[in-house]
Amino acid sequence: AVALDGRGHPLVGVARNAAQLAETADIIRAAGGRMVARPADVSDPAAVAAMASFVHEQLGPPSILVNAAGVFGPIALIRDSDPAAWLETVMIDGIAPYFTIRAFVGGMVDAGWGRIVNITSAASLHPPGALNSAYATAKVALNQLTRHVAAEVAFDETERLDRPPRRRTQHQVGLVPVRPHMRPHPRRRIATALVQRPVVIGDGGDFVSYAGRVIETFEPGTWMDPGPFGCLGAGPGQAI
């Protein structure tokens, strides 16, 4: 929000927690900007519809939508998990972006320019683990939703926000090819450089997420990482 305000974009902040929303508005106000606050639960389709009407009344059709709402969900085996908490996580992290995109993408297409930023997670790239099924499932769904939206409106899903708008008619937007792709990752270079039978230590975070997909190990006990709870900085200790 602060970065968008710094680029001169009018803002509407949306969150369930009115106090935290007011705190963000105060930060932007202190920097000389302005954010209109709208407390709402984006996992509720009626609340999203009311919020969309509010946004159009206050600022008109938005050109940038950032889906950043998220909760982590129950840290438990599926058989031991709380169904209400599990569903809440999937609704907020995976379904709510559909509600907000549905509310605003038409205005972007009609205007000939728009950006939708979906905040996903490296958890969607992990091999499935035993404890965070709701969060990872929701983020995988969000990744696929992003691809579907890109295909429908024919925008490149990797396009940068700071590029200037390219004016297009609605018909022309539908003809622009989508070229979704993954940029080459330096961990692929590691994979090609390893000799056979290495002991690989994944030092938490994104390294484990990406390296686990591209680095092949050959025997049990030759891949070490911090486990499902994570522990950044674990690598040096394991190496010693």
Short mmCIF file of all heavy atoms in Angstrom, two decimals, residues 89-156:
data_model
loop_
_atom_site.label_atom_id
_atom_site.label_comp_id
_atom_site.label_asym_id
_atom_site.label_seq_id
_atom_site.Cartn_x
_atom_site.Cartn_y
_atom_site.Cartn_z
N THR A 89 -9.34 -21.13 6.04
CA THR A 89 -8.08 -20.91 5.35
C THR A 89 -8.25 -21.00 3.84
O THR A 89 -7.77 -20.15 3.08
CB THR A 89 -7.03 -21.93 5.82
OG1 THR A 89 -6.84 -21.79 7.22
CG2 THR A 89 -5.70 -21.73 5.10
N VAL A 90 -8.95 -22.02 3.37
CA VAL A 90 -9.16 -22.19 1.94
C VAL A 90 -10.01 -21.04 1.38
O VAL A 90 -9.74 -20.53 0.29
CB VAL A 90 -9.82 -23.55 1.64
CG1 VAL A 90 -10.22 -23.66 0.18
CG2 VAL A 90 -8.86 -24.68 2.01
N MET A 91 -11.00 -20.61 2.13
CA MET A 91 -11.85 -19.52 1.66
C MET A 91 -11.07 -18.21 1.54
O MET A 91 -11.19 -17.50 0.53
CB MET A 91 -13.03 -19.33 2.62
CG MET A 91 -14.09 -20.40 2.54
SD MET A 91 -14.92 -20.47 0.93
CE MET A 91 -15.69 -18.86 0.87
N ILE A 92 -10.28 -17.88 2.55
CA ILE A 92 -9.56 -16.60 2.53
C ILE A 92 -8.39 -16.63 1.55
O ILE A 92 -8.19 -15.69 0.78
CB ILE A 92 -9.06 -16.25 3.95
CG1 ILE A 92 -10.24 -15.96 4.88
CG2 ILE A 92 -8.10 -15.05 3.91
CD1 ILE A 92 -9.86 -15.76 6.32
N ASP A 93 -7.63 -17.72 1.55
CA ASP A 93 -6.41 -17.78 0.75
C ASP A 93 -6.66 -18.18 -0.71
O ASP A 93 -5.90 -17.79 -1.60
CB ASP A 93 -5.42 -18.76 1.37
CG ASP A 93 -4.95 -18.35 2.75
OD1 ASP A 93 -5.40 -17.30 3.24
OD2 ASP A 93 -4.13 -19.08 3.34
N GLY A 94 -7.71 -18.96 -0.95
CA GLY A 94 -7.92 -19.49 -2.28
C GLY A 94 -9.17 -19.03 -3.00
O GLY A 94 -9.17 -18.84 -4.22
N ILE A 95 -10.26 -18.82 -2.25
CA ILE A 95 -11.55 -18.47 -2.86
C ILE A 95 -11.79 -16.97 -2.89
O ILE A 95 -12.34 -16.44 -3.87
CB ILE A 95 -12.71 -19.17 -2.13
CG1 ILE A 95 -12.45 -20.68 -2.04
CG2 ILE A 95 -14.03 -18.89 -2.82
CD1 ILE A 95 -12.30 -21.37 -3.36
N ALA A 96 -11.38 -16.26 -1.85
CA ALA A 96 -11.60 -14.81 -1.80
C ALA A 96 -11.02 -14.08 -3.02
O ALA A 96 -11.65 -13.17 -3.54
CB ALA A 96 -11.03 -14.23 -0.51
N PRO A 97 -9.81 -14.45 -3.51
CA PRO A 97 -9.33 -13.78 -4.71
C PRO A 97 -10.26 -13.93 -5.91
O PRO A 97 -10.36 -13.02 -6.74
CB PRO A 97 -7.98 -14.45 -4.97
CG PRO A 97 -7.52 -14.88 -3.61
CD PRO A 97 -8.77 -15.32 -2.92
N TYR A 98 -10.96 -15.06 -6.00
CA TYR A 98 -11.94 -15.21 -7.08
C TYR A 98 -13.04 -14.16 -6.94
O TYR A 98 -13.46 -13.53 -7.93
CB TYR A 98 -12.54 -16.61 -7.06
CG TYR A 98 -13.89 -16.69 -7.74
CD1 TYR A 98 -13.99 -16.66 -9.14
CD2 TYR A 98 -15.06 -16.75 -7.00
CE1 TYR A 98 -15.22 -16.71 -9.77
CE2 TYR A 98 -16.30 -16.80 -7.63
CZ TYR A 98 -16.38 -16.77 -9.01
OH TYR A 98 -17.61 -16.81 -9.62
N PHE A 99 -13.54 -13.96 -5.70
CA PHE A 99 -14.60 -12.97 -5.49
C PHE A 99 -14.14 -11.57 -5.89
O PHE A 99 -14.86 -10.84 -6.58
CB PHE A 99 -15.03 -12.96 -4.02
CG PHE A 99 -15.67 -14.22 -3.55
CD1 PHE A 99 -15.49 -14.67 -2.24
CD2 PHE A 99 -16.49 -14.97 -4.38
CE1 PHE A 99 -16.10 -15.82 -1.79
CE2 PHE A 99 -17.10 -16.14 -3.94
CZ PHE A 99 -16.90 -16.57 -2.63
N THR A 100 -12.94 -11.18 -5.48
CA THR A 100 -12.47 -9.82 -5.76
C THR A 100 -12.13 -9.65 -7.24
O THR A 100 -12.40 -8.61 -7.83
CB THR A 100 -11.26 -9.46 -4.89
OG1 THR A 100 -10.21 -10.42 -5.10
CG2 THR A 100 -11.63 -9.46 -3.41
N ILE A 101 -11.51 -10.67 -7.84
CA ILE A 101 -11.21 -10.58 -9.28
C ILE A 101 -12.49 -10.47 -10.08
O ILE A 101 -12.61 -9.65 -11.00
CB ILE A 101 -10.38 -11.80 -9.72
CG1 ILE A 101 -8.98 -11.74 -9.11
CG2 ILE A 101 -10.28 -11.86 -11.25
CD1 ILE A 101 -8.19 -13.03 -9.27
N ARG A 102 -13.47 -11.29 -9.73
CA ARG A 102 -14.75 -11.25 -10.44
C ARG A 102 -15.38 -9.86 -10.35
O ARG A 102 -16.00 -9.37 -11.30
CB ARG A 102 -15.69 -12.29 -9.85
CG ARG A 102 -17.06 -12.34 -10.52
CD ARG A 102 -17.94 -13.42 -9.88
NE ARG A 102 -19.26 -13.44 -10.51
CZ ARG A 102 -20.26 -12.67 -10.15
NH1 ARG A 102 -20.11 -11.79 -9.16
NH2 ARG A 102 -21.43 -12.75 -10.76
N ALA A 103 -15.19 -9.20 -9.19
CA ALA A 103 -15.80 -7.89 -8.99
C ALA A 103 -15.14 -6.79 -9.82
O ALA A 103 -15.80 -5.82 -10.21
CB ALA A 103 -15.76 -7.53 -7.50
N PHE A 104 -13.84 -6.94 -10.11
CA PHE A 104 -13.10 -5.81 -10.68
C PHE A 104 -12.48 -6.05 -12.06
O PHE A 104 -12.12 -5.08 -12.74
CB PHE A 104 -12.00 -5.37 -9.73
CG PHE A 104 -12.50 -4.83 -8.41
CD1 PHE A 104 -12.16 -5.44 -7.22
CD2 PHE A 104 -13.33 -3.72 -8.38
CE1 PHE A 104 -12.63 -4.95 -6.01
CE2 PHE A 104 -13.81 -3.22 -7.17
CZ PHE A 104 -13.46 -3.84 -5.99
N VAL A 105 -12.31 -7.29 -12.48
CA VAL A 105 -11.57 -7.52 -13.72
C VAL A 105 -12.31 -6.97 -14.93
O VAL A 105 -11.68 -6.51 -15.91
CB VAL A 105 -11.27 -9.03 -13.90
CG1 VAL A 105 -12.53 -9.83 -14.19
CG2 VAL A 105 -10.25 -9.23 -15.02
N GLY A 106 -13.65 -6.96 -14.90
CA GLY A 106 -14.39 -6.43 -16.05
C GLY A 106 -14.08 -4.98 -16.32
O GLY A 106 -13.93 -4.56 -17.48
N GLY A 107 -13.94 -4.17 -15.26
CA GLY A 107 -13.61 -2.77 -15.44
C GLY A 107 -12.23 -2.57 -16.03
O GLY A 107 -11.99 -1.65 -16.81
N MET A 108 -11.28 -3.47 -15.65
CA MET A 108 -9.94 -3.38 -16.21
C MET A 108 -9.95 -3.69 -17.70
O MET A 108 -9.29 -3.02 -18.50
CB MET A 108 -9.00 -4.34 -15.47
CG MET A 108 -8.82 -4.03 -14.00
SD MET A 108 -7.70 -5.22 -13.21
CE MET A 108 -7.88 -4.75 -11.49
N VAL A 109 -10.70 -4.73 -18.09
CA VAL A 109 -10.79 -5.09 -19.51
C VAL A 109 -11.44 -3.96 -20.30
O VAL A 109 -10.98 -3.59 -21.38
CB VAL A 109 -11.58 -6.41 -19.67
CG1 VAL A 109 -11.86 -6.69 -21.15
CG2 VAL A 109 -10.81 -7.57 -19.04
N ASP A 110 -12.51 -3.38 -19.74
CA ASP A 110 -13.20 -2.29 -20.44
C ASP A 110 -12.29 -1.08 -20.60
O ASP A 110 -12.35 -0.38 -21.62
CB ASP A 110 -14.46 -1.88 -19.66
CG ASP A 110 -15.53 -2.95 -19.69
OD1 ASP A 110 -15.45 -3.85 -20.55
OD2 ASP A 110 -16.44 -2.90 -18.83
N ALA A 111 -11.43 -0.83 -19.60
CA ALA A 111 -10.52 0.32 -19.67
C ALA A 111 -9.31 0.04 -20.56
O ALA A 111 -8.61 0.97 -20.96
CB ALA A 111 -10.05 0.70 -18.26
N GLY A 112 -9.05 -1.22 -20.85
CA GLY A 112 -7.90 -1.56 -21.69
C GLY A 112 -6.61 -1.73 -20.95
O GLY A 112 -5.56 -1.93 -21.56
N TRP A 113 -6.64 -1.67 -19.62
CA TRP A 113 -5.40 -1.83 -18.83
C TRP A 113 -5.77 -2.20 -17.41
O TRP A 113 -6.75 -1.71 -16.86
CB TRP A 113 -4.59 -0.54 -18.83
CG TRP A 113 -3.19 -0.74 -18.24
CD1 TRP A 113 -2.08 -1.13 -18.92
CD2 TRP A 113 -2.79 -0.56 -16.88
NE1 TRP A 113 -1.00 -1.21 -18.07
CE2 TRP A 113 -1.41 -0.85 -16.81
CE3 TRP A 113 -3.45 -0.18 -15.71
CZ2 TRP A 113 -0.67 -0.78 -15.63
CZ3 TRP A 113 -2.73 -0.10 -14.52
CH2 TRP A 113 -1.35 -0.39 -14.48
N GLY A 114 -4.97 -3.06 -16.81
CA GLY A 114 -5.17 -3.40 -15.41
C GLY A 114 -4.11 -4.37 -14.94
O GLY A 114 -3.41 -5.00 -15.74
N ARG A 115 -3.98 -4.47 -13.63
CA ARG A 115 -3.04 -5.41 -13.02
C ARG A 115 -3.72 -6.08 -11.83
O ARG A 115 -4.32 -5.40 -10.99
CB ARG A 115 -1.75 -4.71 -12.55
CG ARG A 115 -0.89 -4.16 -13.68
CD ARG A 115 -0.33 -5.29 -14.54
NE ARG A 115 0.53 -4.78 -15.59
CZ ARG A 115 0.12 -4.44 -16.80
NH1 ARG A 115 -1.18 -4.52 -17.10
NH2 ARG A 115 0.96 -4.01 -17.70
N ILE A 116 -3.59 -7.40 -11.74
CA ILE A 116 -4.07 -8.15 -10.60
C ILE A 116 -2.87 -8.86 -9.99
O ILE A 116 -2.19 -9.63 -10.66
CB ILE A 116 -5.15 -9.17 -11.01
CG1 ILE A 116 -6.36 -8.46 -11.58
CG2 ILE A 116 -5.56 -10.04 -9.81
CD1 ILE A 116 -7.38 -9.39 -12.21
N VAL A 117 -2.59 -8.56 -8.73
CA VAL A 117 -1.45 -9.12 -8.03
C VAL A 117 -1.98 -10.10 -6.98
O VAL A 117 -2.63 -9.70 -6.01
CB VAL A 117 -0.61 -8.03 -7.34
CG1 VAL A 117 0.60 -8.65 -6.64
CG2 VAL A 117 -0.18 -6.98 -8.35
N ASN A 118 -1.73 -11.39 -7.19
CA ASN A 118 -2.13 -12.41 -6.23
C ASN A 118 -0.92 -12.85 -5.43
O ASN A 118 0.07 -13.34 -6.00
CB ASN A 118 -2.73 -13.62 -6.96
CG ASN A 118 -4.06 -13.30 -7.63
OD1 ASN A 118 -4.82 -12.48 -7.13
ND2 ASN A 118 -4.33 -13.94 -8.75
N ILE A 119 -0.98 -12.68 -4.12
CA ILE A 119 0.15 -13.06 -3.26
C ILE A 119 0.04 -14.54 -2.94
O ILE A 119 -0.81 -14.96 -2.16
CB ILE A 119 0.16 -12.23 -1.96
CG1 ILE A 119 0.11 -10.74 -2.28
CG2 ILE A 119 1.40 -12.58 -1.14
CD1 ILE A 119 1.25 -10.22 -3.10
N THR A 120 0.91 -15.33 -3.55
CA THR A 120 0.89 -16.77 -3.32
C THR A 120 2.03 -17.13 -2.37
O THR A 120 2.48 -16.30 -1.58
CB THR A 120 0.95 -17.53 -4.65
OG1 THR A 120 0.87 -18.93 -4.40
CG2 THR A 120 2.19 -17.18 -5.44
N SER A 121 2.51 -18.36 -2.41
CA SER A 121 3.49 -18.80 -1.41
C SER A 121 4.34 -19.92 -1.99
O SER A 121 3.89 -20.71 -2.83
CB SER A 121 2.78 -19.29 -0.15
OG SER A 121 3.68 -19.97 0.72
N ALA A 122 5.57 -20.00 -1.49
CA ALA A 122 6.43 -21.13 -1.86
C ALA A 122 5.85 -22.45 -1.35
O ALA A 122 6.23 -23.52 -1.84
CB ALA A 122 7.83 -20.93 -1.29
N ALA A 123 4.92 -22.39 -0.40
CA ALA A 123 4.28 -23.63 0.08
C ALA A 123 3.56 -24.35 -1.04
O ALA A 123 3.37 -25.58 -0.99
CB ALA A 123 3.31 -23.31 1.21
N SER A 124 3.15 -23.62 -2.07
CA SER A 124 2.47 -24.26 -3.20
C SER A 124 3.43 -25.06 -4.06
O SER A 124 3.00 -25.84 -4.93
CB SER A 124 1.78 -23.19 -4.06
OG SER A 124 2.74 -22.33 -4.64
N LEU A 125 4.74 -24.89 -3.85
CA LEU A 125 5.75 -25.61 -4.63
C LEU A 125 6.36 -26.78 -3.87
O LEU A 125 7.06 -27.59 -4.45
CB LEU A 125 6.87 -24.65 -5.05
CG LEU A 125 6.44 -23.40 -5.81
CD1 LEU A 125 7.63 -22.51 -6.08
CD2 LEU A 125 5.74 -23.77 -7.10
N HIS A 126 6.12 -26.85 -2.56
CA HIS A 126 6.65 -27.94 -1.75
C HIS A 126 6.06 -29.27 -2.17
O HIS A 126 4.89 -29.35 -2.55
CB HIS A 126 6.29 -27.74 -0.27
CG HIS A 126 7.17 -26.79 0.47
ND1 HIS A 126 8.48 -27.05 0.73
CD2 HIS A 126 6.91 -25.59 1.03
CE1 HIS A 126 9.01 -26.05 1.41
NE2 HIS A 126 8.08 -25.14 1.60
N PRO A 127 6.81 -30.35 -2.07
CA PRO A 127 6.15 -31.66 -2.03
C PRO A 127 5.19 -31.68 -0.84
O PRO A 127 5.48 -31.10 0.20
CB PRO A 127 7.31 -32.64 -1.82
CG PRO A 127 8.53 -31.91 -2.30
CD PRO A 127 8.28 -30.47 -1.98
N PRO A 128 4.03 -32.30 -0.96
CA PRO A 128 3.04 -32.26 0.12
C PRO A 128 3.62 -32.74 1.45
O PRO A 128 4.32 -33.75 1.51
CB PRO A 128 1.93 -33.19 -0.37
CG PRO A 128 2.06 -33.16 -1.85
CD PRO A 128 3.52 -33.03 -2.14
N GLY A 129 3.35 -31.96 2.50
CA GLY A 129 3.78 -32.32 3.83
C GLY A 129 2.61 -32.83 4.66
O GLY A 129 1.50 -33.03 4.16
N ALA A 130 2.85 -33.03 5.94
CA ALA A 130 1.85 -33.67 6.79
C ALA A 130 1.00 -32.71 7.59
O ALA A 130 0.00 -33.13 8.17
CB ALA A 130 2.55 -34.64 7.74
N LEU A 131 1.35 -31.42 7.64
CA LEU A 131 0.71 -30.58 8.65
C LEU A 131 -0.04 -29.36 8.14
O LEU A 131 -0.92 -28.86 8.81
CB LEU A 131 1.76 -30.13 9.68
CG LEU A 131 2.38 -31.24 10.52
CD1 LEU A 131 3.48 -30.67 11.40
CD2 LEU A 131 1.33 -31.93 11.38
N ASN A 132 0.30 -28.82 6.98
CA ASN A 132 -0.31 -27.55 6.56
C ASN A 132 -1.14 -27.71 5.30
O ASN A 132 -1.02 -26.96 4.34
CB ASN A 132 0.75 -26.46 6.39
CG ASN A 132 1.71 -26.76 5.25
OD1 ASN A 132 1.88 -27.90 4.86
ND2 ASN A 132 2.32 -25.72 4.71
N SER A 133 -1.99 -28.71 5.28
CA SER A 133 -2.73 -29.06 4.06
C SER A 133 -3.65 -27.94 3.59
O SER A 133 -3.80 -27.72 2.38
CB SER A 133 -3.54 -30.34 4.28
OG SER A 133 -4.46 -30.19 5.35
N ALA A 134 -4.28 -27.24 4.51
CA ALA A 134 -5.23 -26.19 4.10
C ALA A 134 -4.51 -25.05 3.39
O ALA A 134 -4.93 -24.61 2.32
CB ALA A 134 -5.98 -25.66 5.32
N TYR A 135 -3.44 -24.56 3.98
CA TYR A 135 -2.71 -23.42 3.41
C TYR A 135 -2.12 -23.77 2.05
O TYR A 135 -2.29 -23.03 1.06
CB TYR A 135 -1.60 -23.00 4.38
CG TYR A 135 -0.79 -21.82 3.92
CD1 TYR A 135 -1.29 -20.53 4.05
CD2 TYR A 135 0.48 -21.99 3.39
CE1 TYR A 135 -0.54 -19.43 3.65
CE2 TYR A 135 1.23 -20.90 2.98
CZ TYR A 135 0.72 -19.63 3.11
OH TYR A 135 1.46 -18.55 2.71
N ALA A 136 -1.43 -24.91 1.97
CA ALA A 136 -0.80 -25.28 0.71
C ALA A 136 -1.83 -25.55 -0.38
O ALA A 136 -1.64 -25.16 -1.54
CB ALA A 136 0.08 -26.52 0.92
N THR A 137 -2.93 -26.20 -0.02
CA THR A 137 -3.98 -26.47 -1.00
C THR A 137 -4.56 -25.17 -1.54
O THR A 137 -4.79 -25.03 -2.75
CB THR A 137 -5.10 -27.31 -0.35
OG1 THR A 137 -4.57 -28.57 0.06
CG2 THR A 137 -6.25 -27.54 -1.31
N ALA A 138 -4.80 -24.21 -0.66
CA ALA A 138 -5.36 -22.93 -1.09
C ALA A 138 -4.39 -22.18 -2.01
O ALA A 138 -4.82 -21.57 -3.00
CB ALA A 138 -5.69 -22.07 0.13
N LYS A 139 -3.10 -22.23 -1.71
CA LYS A 139 -2.13 -21.51 -2.54
C LYS A 139 -1.93 -22.17 -3.90
O LYS A 139 -1.71 -21.49 -4.91
CB LYS A 139 -0.80 -21.39 -1.80
CG LYS A 139 -0.86 -20.47 -0.58
CD LYS A 139 -1.31 -19.07 -0.95
CE LYS A 139 -1.26 -18.12 0.24
NZ LYS A 139 -1.70 -16.75 -0.12
N VAL A 140 -2.00 -23.49 -3.95
CA VAL A 140 -1.96 -24.16 -5.25
C VAL A 140 -3.17 -23.74 -6.08
O VAL A 140 -3.06 -23.46 -7.29
CB VAL A 140 -1.94 -25.70 -5.06
CG1 VAL A 140 -2.17 -26.40 -6.40
CG2 VAL A 140 -0.60 -26.14 -4.47
N ALA A 141 -4.33 -23.69 -5.45
CA ALA A 141 -5.54 -23.25 -6.15
C ALA A 141 -5.39 -21.82 -6.64
O ALA A 141 -5.81 -21.48 -7.76
CB ALA A 141 -6.75 -23.37 -5.23
N LEU A 142 -4.78 -20.95 -5.84
CA LEU A 142 -4.58 -19.56 -6.24
C LEU A 142 -3.66 -19.46 -7.45
O LEU A 142 -3.89 -18.64 -8.36
CB LEU A 142 -4.02 -18.76 -5.07
CG LEU A 142 -3.76 -17.28 -5.33
CD1 LEU A 142 -5.03 -16.56 -5.78
CD2 LEU A 142 -3.17 -16.61 -4.08
N ASN A 143 -2.62 -20.28 -7.49
CA ASN A 143 -1.73 -20.28 -8.65
C ASN A 143 -2.50 -20.61 -9.92
O ASN A 143 -2.33 -19.96 -10.96
CB ASN A 143 -0.61 -21.29 -8.45
CG ASN A 143 0.38 -20.89 -7.37
OD1 ASN A 143 0.32 -19.80 -6.84
ND2 ASN A 143 1.28 -21.81 -7.04
N GLN A 144 -3.34 -21.63 -9.84
CA GLN A 144 -4.09 -22.03 -11.02
C GLN A 144 -5.13 -20.98 -11.40
O GLN A 144 -5.35 -20.72 -12.59
CB GLN A 144 -4.76 -23.39 -10.79
CG GLN A 144 -5.41 -24.00 -12.03
CD GLN A 144 -4.40 -24.39 -13.10
OE1 GLN A 144 -3.19 -24.30 -12.90
NE2 GLN A 144 -4.90 -24.81 -14.25
N LEU A 145 -5.77 -20.36 -10.41
CA LEU A 145 -6.71 -19.28 -10.69
C LEU A 145 -6.02 -18.15 -11.43
O LEU A 145 -6.57 -17.58 -12.38
CB LEU A 145 -7.32 -18.77 -9.39
CG LEU A 145 -8.23 -17.54 -9.52
CD1 LEU A 145 -9.47 -17.86 -10.34
CD2 LEU A 145 -8.62 -17.01 -8.13
N THR A 146 -4.80 -17.82 -11.02
CA THR A 146 -4.04 -16.76 -11.68
C THR A 146 -3.82 -17.10 -13.15
O THR A 146 -3.96 -16.24 -14.03
CB THR A 146 -2.69 -16.57 -10.97
OG1 THR A 146 -2.91 -16.27 -9.59
CG2 THR A 146 -1.89 -15.44 -11.61
N ARG A 147 -3.50 -18.35 -13.43
CA ARG A 147 -3.29 -18.77 -14.83
C ARG A 147 -4.59 -18.67 -15.63
O ARG A 147 -4.58 -18.27 -16.79
CB ARG A 147 -2.74 -20.19 -14.87
CG ARG A 147 -1.37 -20.33 -14.21
CD ARG A 147 -0.83 -21.74 -14.37
NE ARG A 147 0.43 -21.89 -13.65
CZ ARG A 147 0.56 -22.49 -12.47
NH1 ARG A 147 -0.51 -23.02 -11.89
NH2 ARG A 147 1.72 -22.58 -11.88
N HIS A 148 -5.70 -19.05 -15.01
CA HIS A 148 -6.98 -18.97 -15.71
C HIS A 148 -7.33 -17.52 -16.04
O HIS A 148 -7.81 -17.22 -17.15
CB HIS A 148 -8.08 -19.60 -14.87
CG HIS A 148 -8.15 -21.09 -14.99
ND1 HIS A 148 -8.56 -21.72 -16.13
CD2 HIS A 148 -7.84 -22.07 -14.10
CE1 HIS A 148 -8.52 -23.04 -15.95
NE2 HIS A 148 -8.08 -23.27 -14.73
N VAL A 149 -7.12 -16.62 -15.08
CA VAL A 149 -7.42 -15.21 -15.33
C VAL A 149 -6.54 -14.68 -16.46
O VAL A 149 -7.00 -13.97 -17.35
CB VAL A 149 -7.23 -14.37 -14.05
CG1 VAL A 149 -7.41 -12.89 -14.34
CG2 VAL A 149 -8.23 -14.81 -12.97
N ALA A 150 -5.25 -15.03 -16.42
CA ALA A 150 -4.34 -14.58 -17.48
C ALA A 150 -4.80 -15.08 -18.84
O ALA A 150 -4.75 -14.36 -19.84
CB ALA A 150 -2.92 -15.06 -17.19
N ALA A 151 -5.28 -16.32 -18.88
CA ALA A 151 -5.75 -16.87 -20.15
C ALA A 151 -7.02 -16.17 -20.62
O ALA A 151 -7.20 -15.92 -21.82
CB ALA A 151 -6.00 -18.37 -20.00
N GLU A 152 -7.91 -15.84 -19.71
CA GLU A 152 -9.18 -15.21 -20.08
C GLU A 152 -8.99 -13.80 -20.62
O GLU A 152 -9.63 -13.40 -21.60
CB GLU A 152 -10.13 -15.17 -18.89
CG GLU A 152 -10.71 -16.52 -18.52
CD GLU A 152 -11.77 -16.41 -17.44
OE1 GLU A 152 -12.24 -15.28 -17.18
OE2 GLU A 152 -12.11 -17.44 -16.85
N VAL A 153 -8.12 -13.02 -19.97
CA VAL A 153 -7.99 -11.62 -20.37
C VAL A 153 -6.78 -11.39 -21.26
O VAL A 153 -6.54 -10.27 -21.70
CB VAL A 153 -7.93 -10.69 -19.14
CG1 VAL A 153 -9.18 -10.85 -18.30
CG2 VAL A 153 -6.70 -10.97 -18.28
N ALA A 154 -6.01 -12.48 -21.49
CA ALA A 154 -4.88 -12.43 -22.42
C ALA A 154 -3.81 -11.44 -22.02
O ALA A 154 -3.24 -10.75 -22.83
CB ALA A 154 -5.37 -12.13 -23.84
N PHE A 155 -3.53 -11.35 -20.72
CA PHE A 155 -2.37 -10.62 -20.23
C PHE A 155 -1.29 -11.62 -19.89
O PHE A 155 -1.56 -12.74 -19.49
CB PHE A 155 -2.70 -9.82 -18.96
CG PHE A 155 -3.54 -8.60 -19.20
CD1 PHE A 155 -4.56 -8.28 -18.31
CD2 PHE A 155 -3.32 -7.78 -20.27
CE1 PHE A 155 -5.34 -7.16 -18.51
CE2 PHE A 155 -4.09 -6.67 -20.48
CZ PHE A 155 -5.11 -6.36 -19.60
N ASP A 156 -0.03 -11.22 -20.04
CA ASP A 156 1.09 -12.03 -19.58
C ASP A 156 1.10 -11.99 -18.06
O ASP A 156 1.23 -10.94 -17.46
CB ASP A 156 2.40 -11.45 -20.14
CG ASP A 156 3.61 -12.31 -19.81
OD1 ASP A 156 3.51 -13.13 -18.88
OD2 ASP A 156 4.63 -12.15 -20.49
#
